[in-house]
Amino acid sequence: MNSSEVESPLPQQVYLRRRSPSAVYTSPLDRSDLSFYLGLLVVSVASIATRFYRISEPNHIAWDETHFGKHASWYIQGKFFFDVHPPLGKLIIAVAGVLTGYNGSFEFTEPGLKYEDTPYVGMRVVCAVMGLLVVPLGYLTVWELVKSTTAAFITGVIILCETGTLILSQYILLDPPLLFFVMAAAYTTVKFTNCRHEPFDLEWWYWLSLSGMFIACAFSVKWVGLFVIALVGLTTIKDLWDMLGDLKMPVRVLATHFFGRALCLIVWPVTIYLSIFFFHFIVLSNSLVPRPEK
């Protein structure tokens, strides 16, 4: 046994062992293995095919389309209304309707009412697009977690074949935007976590900001998006706790980590959430109840 082996301190060995996982991180864009891209292509094409299959059927109001189609119509007409859900999902549907020629005149009175000549397919299409993106996002998220194409492909197939997710993606509902924003928040959070070995660079801020944006969007569609906020919040608390236990990290760097996360995961999402409501009140400038003449 030589002298260098005897004099090597244990804390340095532990420190290097803690940093080793991040040192081998590689982005999927750096992979030369075509199986990653092939698997992503397969699940993406299958997701498009299944979500758009006979999307125009039935040609009548189905289930909760009577609620969210009606809300989209009121947005297009600028008629003020109150609903238990935040505005973003309904605003997305309304914008899709406007872009595809819908003028908000159809009465979404009850399930089963025929659409006739109403251009309703565009609103279903935007929901289908957001629903189909959940499959490749699930694939990418699992790959970022375990770096296994097999595990990522299995995940993509499971989400692809889940009939509840499939059916919800084909109708004018809030669930497709919600699922998309929740999955996007999970993916961007994992991407940010994988950038921890190079803090404060452009990529680090990019993924952290996107994570904050998507958790705000999820919460702005339905308040059940609170659960993805809890996921991101717990992940952030764990990261900061690990940093607090790193005695080699300067206090200034730890404070920068804290305030960076507070800015992107608290201030930025709250700003987005309030801005969506601000836009909501601007659009709904007319009252459903006629105002008495003076």
Side-chain angles (χ1 to χ4, degrees):
M1 181 179 296
N2 55 46
S3 59
S4 61
E5 294 177 340
V6 175
E7 296 174 358
S8 178
L10 178 60
Q12 181 66 16
Q13 293 175 352
V14 174
Y15 180 81
L16 292 174
R17 194 174 299 123
R18 289 178 60 190
R19 295 301 190 269
S20 58
S22 60
V24 298
Y25 167 74
T26 56
S27 169
L29 296 178
D30 298 330
R31 292 178 60 92
S32 59
D33 186 4
L34 291 179
S35 63
F36 169 83
Y37 300 100
L38 180 60
L40 179 61
L41 178 64
V42 169
V43 296
S44 298
V45 171
S47 183
I48 294 171
T50 53
R51 271 59 182 174
F52 278 98
Y53 178 70
R54 301 174 70 173
I55 195 171
S56 61
E57 299 178 8
N59 62 345
H60 58 74
I61 299 175
W63 193 30
D64 274 0
E65 285 187 333
T66 186
H67 300 300
F68 306 120
K70 184 187 301 179
H71 295 158
S73 297
W74 286 341
Y75 272 118
I76 295 171
Q77 298 173 21
K79 294 181 178 180
F80 183 82
F81 68 95
F82 174 80
D83 183 51
V84 296
H85 300 300
L88 181 58
K90 292 163 288 188
L91 282 169
I92 292 172
I93 295 171
V95 170
V98 171
L99 294 178
T100 54
Y102 175 57
N103 60 9
S105 60
F106 183 75
E107 295 290 337
F108 285 84
T109 54
E110 60 182 358
L113 182 65
K114 294 286 186 180
Y115 282 116
E116 302 296 343
D117 296 329
T118 303
Y120 66 96
V121 177
M123 292 183 283
R124 284 186 179 177
V125 165
V126 74
C127 291
V129 169
M130 303 190 83
L132 71 87
L133 290 173
V134 172
V135 177
L137 280 173
Y139 178 99
L140 292 171
T141 301
V142 171
W143 194 92
E144 290 290 339
L145 285 170
V146 298
K147 306 297 183 294
S148 168
T149 301
T150 302
F153 185 77
I154 292 173
T155 301
V157 171
I158 290 174
I159 300 175
L160 174 72
C161 298
E162 205 283 305
T163 54
T165 304
L166 169 61
I167 298 302
L168 289 174
S169 299
Q170 293 186 309
Y171 297 100
I172 305 171
L173 303 172
L174 297 185
D175 300 88
L178 175 66
L179 290 171
F180 167 73
F181 289 129
V182 167
M183 186 59 74
Y187 173 64
T188 52
T189 300
V190 172
K191 286 288 292 185
F192 166 71
T193 302
N194 286 340
C195 293
R196 63 185 179 273
H197 60 294
E198 294 181 357
F200 313 126
D201 66 355
L202 183 60
E203 186 180 9
W204 189 90
W205 285 107
Y206 173 76
W207 290 113
L208 180 59
S209 300
L210 278 184
S211 179
M213 182 185 74
F214 284 125
I215 64 175
C217 290
F219 193 65
S220 298
V221 174
K222 280 187 175 183
W223 282 341
V224 293
L226 176 67
F227 291 104
V228 77
I229 296 178
L231 171 65
V232 176
L234 290 174
T235 302
T236 302
I237 291 172
K238 179 185 180 301
D239 287 344
L240 292 174
W241 180 259
D242 290 341
M243 294 174 194
L244 185 63
D246 186 356
L247 300 180
K248 295 181 179 293
M249 179 175 290
V251 175
R252 179 182 58 82
V253 176
L254 178 62
T256 306
H257 275 285
F258 176 81
F259 286 111
R261 286 165 171 79
L263 175 65
C264 294
L265 298 180
I266 299 177
V267 177
W268 173 229
V270 169
T271 302
I272 293 174
Y273 183 78
L274 295 178
S275 299
I276 291 171
F277 267 98
F278 178 76
F279 185 71
H280 163 82
F281 288 117
I282 290 178
V283 173
L284 302 182
S285 57
N286 302 320
S287 175
L288 281 174
V289 180
R291 297 176 181 176
E293 296 182 1
K294 294 182 180 180

